[in-house]
Amino acid sequence: MHLLLFFICILTVSQATNDNQQTALWNLFKRVHKKQYANILEEQYRFVVFTDNLAMIDRHNHEADIGLHSYTLKINQFADMTHEEFVRKMLNGVKMPSKTDYMKKSNKNSLHPPSDVDIPAAVDWRKKGAVTKVIENQGQCGSCWAFTATGALEGQHFLKTGKLVRLSAQNLMDCSGEFGNQGCNGGWMDASFQYIKANKGIDTEASYPYEAKDGNCRFNPKTVGATDTGFVDLPKENETALQIAIATVGPISVAVDASHSSFQFYSSGVYDEPQCSSTNIDHSFILVGYDTFKNSTVKKDYYIAKNSWGDAWGDKGYIWMSRNKHNQCGIANIGSYPLV
């Protein structure tokens, strides 16, 4: 009986310590991410969601410590959201326009990479100055497509002119509706490239800042930051062509299946999600390079992807997506880039 009481006391102290740690992390989370709630009942509910997410993250990271996963997770701005809320609010940004006439008018081109091209083992366009810093955060607005389009054009504009100019995602959201884009309700990178061509340019971010909501078009031809002459689509489901394009062209716009808790809370390492769909595409970003992770027991190819959820998400705003893993998450399904 005394031994039983001893273990009960140990468990009680352990639980109390765990509760105190959860409360401390919760208060830190609210302060860091400036969280406020409508009332005490809402905050209590969000705390329960937070602790559930925290338990899942801890479990995953313990498994990663013993080699069961090639990446880790962390608490971020989405930690007080259920996964269903995260999917509904954050993953509605990639939509093929219902209008197809923009494709008929466009200078669409297709990449046909030679089979014998010699490409480097690793590429990182950030080191060459072709990628803007991660400061953008799309918020709870389905505008990933706009940031993906501007990111790809920023890279091509830099490689042609030597000038790295941050371009306006808000300009695309407010002004490209006739090409099938729907602002916070989603859009398509190719349609954005076609709008920029027809519009004879896109504003700079400085002249047309991001607002995370739909607004009236305020494009100013006097503050154009870049333009394009069309776009190129990569061969579907062809990772060899995707790697060649990244190596020889520059940052490439792509879209993936991001509808997993592992993506929601990604922190570092090579993202390898067996449950990823190659057809359920719901989020876009730009690939700015690729490389291979190696240690004494593991070798994993990966793409370097720049996301639009701020630098508090992932690895300072980036994620290493699995490469040469049977088109995992559909990463090679809809690659494209603008022509300048």
Side-chain angles (χ1 to χ4, degrees):
M1 177 63 72
H2 292 295
L3 185 60
L4 177 61
L5 289 175
F6 173 76
F7 280 116
I8 290 175
C9 289
I10 291 295
L11 289 172
T12 301
V13 171
S14 176
Q15 182 62 48
T17 301
N18 189 49
D19 289 345
N20 289 336
Q21 290 175 338
Q22 289 178 343
T23 301
L25 286 172
W26 171 244
N27 290 330
L28 180 61
F29 164 78
K30 290 189 296 180
R31 185 167 69 251
V32 168
H33 297 289
K34 298 179 174 60
K35 297 285 184 171
Q36 294 183 330
Y37 303 100
N39 51 56
I40 188 64
L41 291 178
E42 171 70 9
E43 180 162 348
Q44 289 173 343
Y45 171 71
R46 293 299 163 189
F47 177 67
V48 172
V49 173
F50 175 86
T51 56
D52 287 345
N53 285 329
L54 180 61
M56 182 273 295
I57 290 169
D58 285 344
R59 183 171 60 253
H60 175 98
N61 289 342
H62 285 312
E63 293 173 352
D65 287 341
I66 60 175
L68 296 182
H69 305 291
S70 58
Y71 61 99
T72 61
L73 306 181
K74 70 176 180 181
I75 289 294
N76 58 30
Q77 66 264 42
F78 306 125
D80 61 348
M81 297 170 64
T82 67
H83 185 60
E84 292 73 17
E85 288 175 318
F86 168 78
V87 170
R88 185 174 68 253
K89 293 180 179 180
M90 299 303 301
L91 302 180
N92 63 342
V94 179
K95 292 181 181 177
M96 171 70 82
S98 57
K99 295 172 66 174
T100 58
D101 57 342
Y102 81 94
M103 293 296 291
K104 298 176 183 177
K105 297 183 292 183
S106 72
N107 286 351
K108 176 184 175 182
N109 299 272
S110 296
L111 178 71
H112 301 288
S115 59
D116 59 347
V117 65
D118 185 21
I119 58 175
V123 171
D124 189 341
W125 287 105
R126 295 174 297 180
K127 296 178 180 179
K128 300 179 182 181
V131 183
T132 56
K133 292 182 179 180
V134 177
I135 62 172
E136 57 271 319
N137 186 342
Q138 69 184 72
Q140 293 184 19
C141 167
S143 56
C144 60
W145 58 274
F147 286 106
T148 304
T150 55
L153 182 53
E154 286 165 358
Q156 291 305 301
H157 181 75
F158 169 81
L159 292 171
K160 182 174 182 178
T161 68
K163 298 178 181 179
L164 184 62
V165 180
R166 190 179 297 275
L167 302 174
S168 174
Q170 191 69 43
N171 181 180
L172 293 178
M173 291 169 58
D174 294 344
C175 306
S176 63
E178 69 174 285
F179 291 84
N181 292 329
Q182 302 174 45
C184 281
N185 292 317
W188 196 252
M189 290 74 75
D190 288 359
S192 303
F193 300 144
Q194 180 57 17
Y195 158 76
I196 294 168
K197 176 190 173 220
N199 193 57
K200 295 183 174 58
I202 179 174
D203 255 310
T204 64
E205 168 65 19
S207 62
Y208 202 149
Y210 184 65
E211 299 174 344
K213 62 182 180 180
D214 297 330
N216 296 322
C217 182
R218 304 183 301 280
F219 169 74
N220 185 350
K222 295 181 180 180
T223 51
V224 165
T227 189
D228 68 54
T229 60
F231 58 91
V232 173
D233 280 343
L234 305 188
K236 187 175 181 180
E237 301 176 359
N238 187 329
E239 288 200 65
T240 299
L242 179 56
Q243 182 178 352
I244 291 172
I246 296 170
T248 61
V249 174
I252 302 296
S253 68
V254 298
V256 297
D257 170 22
S259 62
H260 302 273
S261 295
S262 55
F263 195 97
Q264 179 179 353
F265 296 112
Y266 170 83
S267 177
S268 64
V270 180
Y271 183 70
D272 188 350
E273 176 53 77
Q275 300 303 314
C276 243
S277 169
S278 61
T279 57
N280 178 35
I281 305 301
D282 51 26
H283 183 61
S284 69
F285 45 50
I286 59 169
L287 301 184
V288 302
Y290 60 82
D291 205 339
T292 300
F293 172 80
K294 301 175 184 176
N295 62 21
S296 58
T297 59
V298 176
K299 176 182 176 182
K300 285 185 174 290
D301 296 335
Y302 64 88
Y303 300 100
I304 306 169
K306 181 188 179 187
N307 203 1
S308 53
W309 292 345
D311 60 4
W313 179 87
D315 187 355
K316 298 179 181 178
Y318 286 85
I319 180 171
W320 291 0
M321 298 292 295
S322 288
R323 179 166 63 91
N324 299 328
K325 196 81 173 182
H326 308 294
N327 190 31
Q328 190 181 95
C329 300
I331 197 161
N333 278 12
I334 55 172
S336 66
Y337 62 90
L339 295 170
V340 298

